[in-house]
Amino acid sequence: MCGAFQNNADVNAADDVTRRTALMFAAESTNGGRVVERLLDAGADPEARDSGGRTALLTAAEAGRAGAVEALVEAGDADLQARDAAGRSCLFLARDRLDLVRQILSMGEATVKREERRNAKHGLNVNFF
């Protein structure tokens, strides 16, 4: 993978049929968390969508990959409110994995608090829900 980054490969290149990117494949792999971090550092777009409307976060949630979910959310770019073409959220896709559902809820709460602090610092009052 390092060679691909050194050769300036397009980290957002997508499969012609499924529109899946390397980030989506990494998000569903067993040790995807570390690879997801590397791809994000290299400029991978966490909001790219495949032919089913899934982002890398939705793919990771559906595959039950807590490390990838964490890497995507911690990077600050993954939308916890995203839904696929069928209207399914990451919480819905992770519904059979209670530990992952708890993790996503906790990360969502932390994200809202971080945004509230950032907005307060700049004198903004924005309600997210």
Side-chain angles (χ1 to χ4, degrees):
M1 184 171 309
C2 292
F5 295 150
Q6 292 171 350
N7 293 327
N8 297 320
D10 181 3
V11 295
N12 292 307
D15 175 87
D16 289 337
V17 176
T18 65
R19 305 301 308 152
R20 290 171 51 96
T21 65
L23 187 60
M24 293 170 194
F25 285 110
E28 70 181 0
S29 71
T30 304
N31 294 316
R34 284 179 265 153
V35 178
V36 165
E37 289 173 4
R38 297 281 309 272
L39 287 165
L40 290 170
D41 288 344
D45 180 5
E47 294 306 311
R49 295 191 178 253
D50 68 11
S51 59
R54 287 178 299 276
T55 63
L57 177 62
L58 294 171
T59 301
E62 186 169 31
R65 303 298 183 210
V69 168
E70 183 175 356
L72 288 158
V73 175
E74 291 299 317
D77 296 325
D79 180 6
L80 284 167
Q81 302 294 323
R83 295 180 180 273
D84 67 10
R88 300 176 301 178
S89 69
C90 60
L91 283 172
F92 179 84
L93 293 169
R95 69 193 179 278
D96 294 331
R97 298 162 191 93
L98 187 56
D99 57 327
L100 185 55
V101 169
R102 286 184 179 132
Q103 177 186 351
I104 293 168
L105 289 171
S106 175
M107 294 176 124
E109 183 179 332
T111 300
V112 169
K113 287 180 180 178
R114 187 170 49 244
E115 289 296 320
E116 287 174 347
R117 283 192 304 272
R118 184 179 304 139
N119 290 336
K121 180 179 177 182
H122 297 289
L124 301 173
N125 183 11
V126 180
N127 292 319
F128 288 94
F129 301 103

